[in-house]
Amino acid sequence: MFTNHDVPPSSHPFRLIAGAMLLAVAGAGSTYAAQPDIKVGLSITQTGPYSPPAIFELRGYQLAIDEINQKGGLLGRKLDLIKYDDQGNPSTAVQLYQKLLTDDKVDLLVSPYQTDLTAAVAPIVNRAKKVMPSLAANVENYSGKYPYLIQAITQTPQYMTPALDLAASKGYKTVALLIQNTQFPIQLAGGIEAEVKKLGMKIVFKESYDPSTTDFSALVLKAGNTHPDVIVGATYLADAEGIVRAAKSQNVSAKMFAFSIGPVEPEFYKSLGSAANGIFGTTLYFPSLHTKGNVEFVKSFKDKFNVEPDYHAAVAYASMKLLGQAVTEVGSLDQTKIRDAMLKLSEDTVVGHFKLSPTGLQTGYRSYVLQWQNGKQVLVWPKEDAEAAPILPHGGWK
C-alpha cells in the first residue's frame, strides 16, 4: 500500500489538479500571445538633407510605441512599427505607403516628415480610408479634401508669428524675406506677410530660391543691401545654415535674424559654431515647457536616445499617444470610428493642447521662439514661457 509520500508525482491527486490548472492558464496565455501584433506603418526620411528633423520624428514615434507596449499595447496586442526610408522623395514615399497598405497590410498609419511628402501620399491614404495623424503643417490637406488626415502639428501660417511679435516689440519695422521654393516655406511666407502687415511692419525684400541651392551669397547680399531690421527665412535646416554662412562671410548685418526649421535642430550649432549665436528660430515645443507629462517625456527621451527632444520628436510622440487613445476609446481598429474619436479629442499633451476643427485642422497647438545663446538653445518668447530674455540687436559676426 502506498502512503501519500509514496505516490508518484504524476499521479498525486493535488498535483494532477494543479497541473490541469497550469495547462489551462498556459493555454490561455498562448492564445493571448498568439494575437497578431498591431502593425503601425510609415515612411520617414532617414537619409538626405531633410533627415535630421525626420529622425527626431521617428524617435518620437518609437518612444511612444515603446511606452504603449510597456502598458500592455492596444486592445491587448503589441504594437510593431514598420518603417521605410523615403529619402525625402515624394514619389518614393508614395510607393512605400502603397507597399505598407497592400503588402504589409498595416493596421495603423502615421505620417512622413515634410509637407510635400504628406501631400503626395494623402490621396492613397484617403482612398484606403486609413486614419493618418499627420505632421504636415500646411492647412489645405485638412479642409475636407482628405477626411482621414488629422493635423497633429501647429498650422504653417502660425509658425513665425511669435518671432515677428518679438521683432515688433523692439520697434523693428522692415523685413527681408527669403523663401525656399517648396510647399511648406511658400505657405509659411504667406503667413509671415500677413503678420508683418498686421503689425504695421514692411517687407522691403522678398525672393524665393530653388531647394537645391547651396550658394546663398548673391541672395543674401541683395537682401542686405535693402538694410532691413529683420532678415527672416522660410527655411529648412540646410538652407538656414547656408544663409547664415553667407551673411557672416559678407558681413551682412541686421538687427535680427530669424528662421523657421533650422535653428531648432542641434545640428545647426554643430554646423555653424559660434555663428549660430544670436540667431532666432521658431519651435512648436521646448523641453522646459510646463506641459502635461513633459518632465517624464524629456527624461525618457534622453535616457533612450542620449539627446533632448526637439519639437519634431514631441509632436510625433504626442500624435502616436493620441492615436492610441482613440483606438482604446473605440475598442477596435475601425478606421472611421478612430477618425471620429480623434476629431472629438481635446487633450493636453507634451506639446500643448490638442484640439481639431470638424475637418481635422489643428486649432490648439501654437509656437514659440528660441535663440542660440552661448552655444545653447534658450526659449525666449513669449515672455510667460521664456527661460531667458532675448539678446537683441544681433551683435554682428565675430
Side-chain angles (χ1 to χ4, degrees):
M1 181 179 293
F2 290 110
T3 65
N4 280 347
H5 295 292
D6 298 319
V7 175
S10 60
S11 59
H12 193 290
F14 175 78
R15 289 192 177 94
L16 286 171
I17 295 169
M21 291 174 65
L22 286 170
L23 284 170
V25 171
S30 62
T31 300
Y32 174 82
Q35 289 290 319
D37 291 350
I38 292 176
K39 291 184 281 189
V40 182
L42 83 161
S43 82
I44 198 77
T45 306
Q46 298 176 71
T47 55
Y50 297 113
S51 61
I55 288 170
F56 268 97
E57 285 189 2
L58 176 59
R59 289 168 173 171
Y61 288 134
Q62 288 172 324
L63 180 59
I65 287 172
D66 285 352
E67 292 183 0
I68 290 169
N69 283 337
Q70 287 165 9
K71 294 183 178 179
L74 294 177
L75 311 178
R77 296 161 61 184
K78 180 184 174 185
L79 299 186
D80 178 27
L81 182 65
I82 298 175
K83 64 183 187 296
Y84 298 107
D85 182 6
D86 55 41
Q87 301 175 325
N89 186 308
S91 62
T92 302
V94 168
Q95 294 171 23
L96 292 174
Y97 272 80
Q98 193 65 53
K99 175 178 171 56
L100 288 164
L101 289 165
T102 58
D103 296 348
D104 298 309
K105 295 182 172 24
V106 296
D107 302 291
L108 300 172
L109 286 176
V110 288
S111 81
Y113 172 69
Q114 204 199 11
T115 294
D116 298 64
L117 273 65
T118 299
V121 305
I124 61 170
V125 170
N126 199 68
R127 201 156 47 241
K129 296 185 177 180
K130 285 286 187 183
V131 180
M132 188 170 76
S134 171
L135 304 184
N138 282 16
V139 301
E140 59 273 6
N141 289 330
Y142 316 100
S143 61
K145 183 178 182 181
Y146 301 118
Y148 284 84
L149 262 61
I150 299 293
Q151 190 174 39
I153 195 168
T154 304
Q155 298 177 31
T156 294
Q158 300 176 5
Y159 265 56
M160 296 295 287
T161 297
L164 294 165
D165 291 347
L166 170 58
S169 77
K170 297 296 182 181
Y172 301 161
K173 297 293 185 184
T174 56
V175 176
L177 176 57
L178 313 180
I179 310 156
Q180 187 192 98
N181 193 23
T182 52
Q183 290 189 38
F184 165 76
I186 290 169
Q187 189 165 115
L188 174 58
I192 291 169
E193 290 183 271
E195 189 67 13
V196 164
K197 183 177 180 180
K198 176 183 171 184
L199 293 168
M201 302 167 77
K202 184 180 180 182
I203 302 281
V204 294
F205 177 87
K206 173 186 170 184
E207 192 163 319
S208 300
Y209 53 88
D210 191 87
S212 63
T213 302
T214 56
D215 184 354
F216 292 89
S217 302
L219 177 65
V220 170
L221 194 59
K222 284 166 66 178
N225 285 340
T226 64
H227 307 291
D229 292 327
V230 186
I231 292 179
V232 173
T235 57
Y236 285 100
L237 175 62
D239 47 332
E241 292 172 353
I243 291 168
V244 171
R245 283 195 197 93
K248 180 181 179 181
S249 68
Q250 297 175 113
N251 200 29
V252 171
S253 62
K255 294 174 182 175
M256 180 178 179
F257 291 84
F259 303 91
S260 50
I261 302 166
V264 72
E265 299 303 328
E267 284 79 3
F268 189 76
Y269 192 88
K270 291 177 185 175
S271 175
L272 295 173
S274 61
N277 285 326
I279 305 298
F280 292 87
T282 51
T283 184
L284 313 182
Y285 159 89
F286 208 71
S288 66
L289 288 176
H290 300 294
T291 48
K292 183 179 179 181
N294 194 33
V295 172
E296 296 80 6
F297 168 61
V298 172
K299 182 181 185 305
S300 296
F301 195 91
K302 287 176 70 175
D303 287 347
K304 186 173 179 66
F305 301 110
N306 200 34
V307 65
E308 284 197 332
D310 75 348
Y311 85 73
H312 299 93
V315 292
Y317 173 87
S319 71
M320 187 65 235
K321 285 297 190 78
L322 291 165
L323 178 59
Q325 180 177 334
V327 170
T328 300
E329 287 182 7
V330 169
S332 76
L333 294 172
D334 184 302
Q335 299 293 303
T336 302
K337 290 180 179 179
I338 293 169
R339 179 202 61 190
D340 293 346
M342 290 202 77
L343 288 173
K344 294 174 184 176
L345 288 177
S346 181
E347 293 290 330
D348 290 324
T349 75
V350 297
V351 182
H353 191 72
F354 178 94
K355 190 171 177 59
L356 300 167
S357 77
T359 59
L361 185 70
Q362 181 61 230
T363 61
Y365 288 167
R366 58 193 182 107
S367 59
Y368 309 84
V369 182
L370 60 79
Q371 184 182 32
W372 281 95
Q373 297 181 1
N374 299 315
K376 289 183 61 179
Q377 291 177 335
V378 181
L379 197 67
V380 296
W381 197 264
K383 284 183 179 179
E384 62 269 22
D385 299 299
E387 301 174 285
I391 298 173
L392 284 167
H394 187 262
W397 309 105
K398 300 175 184 176

